[in-house]
Amino acid sequence: MADMELTGADIVVSCLRDEGIKHVFGYPGGAVLNIYDEIYKQTAFEHILVRHEQAAVHAADAYARSTGQVGVAIVTSGPGATNAVTGIATAYMDSIPMVVISGQVPTAAIGQDAFQEVDTVGITRPCVKHNFLVKDVRDLASTIKKAFFIAATGRPGPVLVDVPKDITQHSCVYEYPKSVSMRSYNPTSKGHAGQIKKAVQMLLEAKRPMIYSGGGVVLGNAAPQVTELVRLLGSPITSTLMGLGGYPAPDPLFLGMLGMHGTIEANMAMQHCDVLLAVGARFDDRVIGNPKHFAKEARRIIHIDVDPSSISKRVRVDVPIVGEVAQVVEEMLKQLHAGKEQPEQSALKAWWTQIELWRAQDCMKYDRESAKIKPQYVIEKLYEVTGGQAFVTSDVGQHQMWAAQYYPFDQPRRWINSGGLGTMGFGLPAAMGVQMAHPDAQVACVTGEGSIQMNIQELSTCKEWKLPIKVILLNNGYLGMVRQWQEFFYEERYAESYMTSLPDFVKLAEAYGHVGILVEKPEDVEPALRDAFGKYKDRLVFINFLTDPRENVFPMIPAGKGLSEMILV
């Protein structure tokens, strides 16, 4: 299509086609009607009409998380853009590659308080990797190419392209750039050779080694390399919430998730190791608790991250290595294989003896004889029924933590949740994005009665596209995590944390054309799940599990406390 003049709207669509995009999530409006008219004429990609712009961005986000590709969403100006901000911020906090194309009022009307005008670039600047306002149609194709390049490289993130309506009407010769060169943006991919050599030697000398993996292992497609490194060294490994699946959870070398709701063995090993290798993680507040407490124990720290600003941001490290995680760990493996040194086995054996004592405390136990449905039991049965092969999305709260604790993910990109921002309403649209990307896969959305109502209108989108998602509602009648904090830290003053006017979720699901199931007894949990994934495998099934309203998530580290200051019961 070189030397052919196209309108800006046609250029947007042509760019998406030439970028190889297959699915776009969005919602039309006045400022993007020209773009939608061109979408109507094309067949290169499918457009999924959501029922709220926030859901469009969450769906694009989850599409990216589950595939490793760049997700795409289109929204209109004004309220369309502001509705999308929560989804953009969610992706930004979790470093998810995404391009959001937003409509804008005509260039002559910008700054005039025009109908449905907001300063989208200004509003989104704090929660995007980068954003653009296109003022000349001749810059449109190159800008979109830059957006995809920036979103996917270095530390990934969302990029917004704001396109005024008159730009979509103007015409110019279309040519989509084959490559991008930006003087101000050159992310580092290869780690420093000397630092890598130093890190390898430090690991070989360690008496109490520990590997701490984060979301960067998943996003950087480094799970095979990290898995090989762990098994070669024989070291224990823990994972952040975002890193689950980056190392096979059923493996005995895996100590479980660490942090606020992590296991005893993971948190104690993290606190008492002598050499810590942090891979694609950022030492955030939910992981290490109080940095002063963390710093009390002397340890040497190696930190690998593609983003130099994440290194020594909260915790001082001894060996910083900036680069793509997969490349850096691959180089470490080459040096280990080439060398003759091995980890000191007697010290490592003693370290594992201590770890097994912590593990023996069985911090994940719960009352399995209860007459009430325990949420942990539901997740365990979900794992059993799906053979551990499902994509699991979640909303935010107690149910999210139980899903992370009791569904042992053994593959990356199967656990899809909002980590950094903690966005309620994420789960259902995220499940839509995953199901569109993986039409034959089992997709379960684990949610709570508070979270599901924030984007429950997307049951309509699921009906239109016949998405066979299984909604696993752990319904305890409370905003569960809020209630748990109020019980522990606010003398049981349950201010606005309980729900007294919940809908009949079964009837609501049926009203949208789906299958609804109510489960009130523990003995009915497994049959309901088997029906959902078997008898109704081609339908969306909404299962309302009435769970124990007083069940809490344990272990728990109170805010401001350290890793060894866990509440266990």
Side-chain angles (χ1 to χ4, degrees):
M1 300 183 71
D3 300 322
M4 181 181 294
E5 285 211 351
L6 302 179
T7 65
D10 202 353
I11 287 173
V12 170
V13 171
S14 297
C15 288
L16 296 179
R17 179 202 64 217
D18 291 348
E19 194 64 39
I21 300 303
K22 297 302 179 186
H23 295 91
V24 174
F25 302 86
Y27 201 96
V32 289
L33 279 182
N34 293 327
I35 296 173
Y36 271 86
D37 192 47
E38 295 301 329
I39 289 174
Y40 180 84
K41 301 173 187 176
Q42 62 83 45
T43 58
F45 57 83
E46 288 186 305
H47 178 278
I48 295 87
L49 173 66
V50 296
R51 304 307 186 254
H52 191 284
E53 290 89 352
Q54 180 182 342
V57 184
H58 287 331
D61 172 327
Y63 188 97
R65 292 181 199 238
S66 67
T67 63
Q69 301 166 16
V70 178
V72 180
I74 300 177
V75 299
T76 193
S77 64
T82 57
N83 282 346
V85 169
T86 297
I88 295 170
T90 300
Y92 178 70
M93 288 289 282
D94 290 345
S95 305
I96 306 304
M98 186 165 60
V99 171
V100 178
I101 297 170
S102 59
Q104 184 54 274
V105 300
T107 51
I110 293 176
Q112 303 298 312
D113 293 332
F115 177 65
Q116 291 194 331
E117 179 194 0
V118 298
D119 178 6
T120 304
V121 167
I123 288 171
T124 60
R125 186 172 287 119
C127 61
V128 293
K129 187 175 179 183
H130 196 65
N131 58 19
F132 299 90
L133 172 62
V134 181
K135 297 180 180 179
D136 189 323
V137 70
R138 293 170 295 184
D139 297 330
L140 186 54
S142 62
T143 299
I144 292 175
K145 183 68 176 180
K146 288 176 183 176
F148 276 95
F149 176 68
I150 294 170
T153 54
R155 179 178 181 173
V159 178
L160 179 130
V161 182
D162 202 28
V163 186
K165 186 168 185 178
D166 58 317
I167 300 300
T168 67
Q169 296 166 323
H170 295 167
S171 299
C172 72
V173 172
Y174 171 70
E175 183 176 359
Y176 196 56
K178 290 183 173 61
S179 61
V180 174
S181 177
M182 301 173 68
R183 186 175 61 182
S184 59
Y185 178 69
N186 292 287
T188 300
S189 60
K190 189 175 181 180
H192 188 279
Q195 293 293 84
I196 294 173
K197 184 177 181 180
K198 190 183 298 184
V200 168
Q201 190 60 39
M202 196 177 289
L203 287 168
L204 288 170
E205 293 171 356
K207 290 181 171 57
R208 300 186 306 280
M210 181 68 172
I211 297 177
Y212 152 49
S213 68
V217 171
V218 175
L219 295 172
N221 299 314
Q225 291 87 348
V226 170
T227 300
E228 184 180 350
L229 178 67
V230 171
R231 289 173 176 168
L232 187 62
L233 294 173
S235 301
I237 180 172
T238 183
S239 170
T240 66
L241 180 72
M242 298 306 301
L244 293 174
Y247 187 86
D251 191 293
L253 297 179
F254 184 66
L255 304 188
M257 183 174 70
L258 82 163
M260 180 171 280
H261 295 293
T263 65
I264 291 174
E265 54 268 32
N267 285 340
M268 294 299 283
M270 184 80 169
Q271 186 68 2
H272 295 287
C273 63
D274 67 341
V275 173
L276 175 64
L277 171 61
V279 190
R282 56 191 179 90
F283 293 92
D284 71 274
D285 58 300
R286 290 296 174 106
V287 165
I288 65 162
N290 188 330
K292 290 182 179 179
H293 179 280
F294 186 70
K296 284 181 180 178
E297 299 291 336
R299 64 177 76 73
R300 293 182 293 172
I301 300 175
I302 306 157
H303 191 178
I304 305 169
D305 204 290
V306 74
D307 179 7
S309 72
S310 291
I311 296 178
S312 289
K313 186 174 184 178
R314 298 192 75 242
V315 170
R316 187 189 66 79
V317 305
D318 300 279
V319 182
I321 305 175
V322 178
E324 293 182 3
V325 172
Q327 286 195 37
V328 173
V329 179
E330 186 67 45
E331 183 56 36
M332 293 175 75
L333 287 168
K334 287 179 183 177
Q335 292 190 21
L336 284 165
H337 285 303
K340 296 180 179 179
E341 283 190 77
Q342 297 291 326
E344 208 278 292
Q345 293 302 312
S346 61
L348 188 60
K349 185 177 179 181
W351 178 225
W352 271 109
T353 299
Q354 175 59 68
I355 290 170
E356 293 302 336
L357 290 174
W358 289 322
R359 184 180 263 165
Q361 295 183 52
D362 191 15
C363 63
M364 292 291 128
K365 61 179 177 290
Y366 64 92
D367 182 8
R368 296 178 180 274
E369 305 302 320
S370 173
K372 297 177 181 178
I373 297 174
K374 292 294 184 180
Q376 303 95 320
Y377 178 73
V378 177
I379 301 300
E380 287 180 337
K381 285 300 175 183
L382 176 65
Y383 177 78
E384 185 180 314
V385 168
T386 60
Q389 298 302 302
F391 288 86
V392 179
T393 73
S394 85
D395 275 296
V396 171
Q398 288 179 314
H399 59 271
Q400 177 189 26
M401 294 299 106
W402 284 315
Q405 291 174 329
Y406 292 92
Y407 198 104
F409 296 93
D410 64 358
Q411 298 176 61
R413 300 191 182 278
R414 294 298 179 104
W415 169 234
I416 313 293
N417 79 119
S418 169
L421 196 65
T423 306
M424 294 174 69
F426 176 83
L428 181 57
M432 297 185 331
V434 173
Q435 194 77 78
M436 290 302 302
H438 308 274
D440 298 324
Q442 296 176 326
V443 180
C445 168
V446 177
T447 185
E449 72 290 330
S451 287
I452 191 62
Q453 293 186 84
M454 290 197 171
N455 269 315
I456 202 165
Q457 75 284 339
E458 297 309 316
L459 288 174
S460 177
T461 306
C462 295
K463 175 64 175 176
E464 180 180 352
W465 287 89
K466 297 181 175 60
L467 301 179
I469 295 161
K470 313 310 175 193
V471 179
I472 312 300
L473 174 59
L474 303 181
N475 184 350
N476 60 13
Y478 284 91
L479 298 178
M481 193 60 83
V482 174
R483 183 205 58 75
Q484 179 168 334
W485 279 59
Q486 289 172 333
E487 177 185 335
F488 290 176
F489 311 120
Y490 294 88
E491 299 176 341
E492 300 186 9
R493 293 187 294 274
Y494 300 122
E496 306 303 323
S497 60
Y498 51 88
M499 299 227 169
T500 57
S501 55
L502 292 172
D504 183 327
F505 286 108
V506 170
K507 289 182 178 178
L508 185 57
E510 291 172 345
Y512 276 104
H514 304 301
V515 177
I517 300 174
L518 175 64
V519 181
E520 301 178 89
K521 299 176 182 178
E523 58 266 29
D524 296 330
V525 169
E526 184 176 344
L529 287 168
R530 294 203 178 277
D531 279 350
F533 288 96
K535 182 179 178 181
Y536 302 115
K537 67 177 183 179
D538 297 324
R539 301 278 303 277
L540 186 147
V541 183
F542 193 118
I543 314 179
N544 181 14
F545 293 99
L546 300 187
T547 63
D548 186 344
R550 302 294 295 184
E551 190 70 13
N552 289 322
V553 181
F554 293 111
M556 180 180 182
I557 299 173
K561 298 295 185 179
L563 282 176
S564 60
E565 299 176 288
M566 290 168 277
I567 300 173
L568 301 179
V569 290

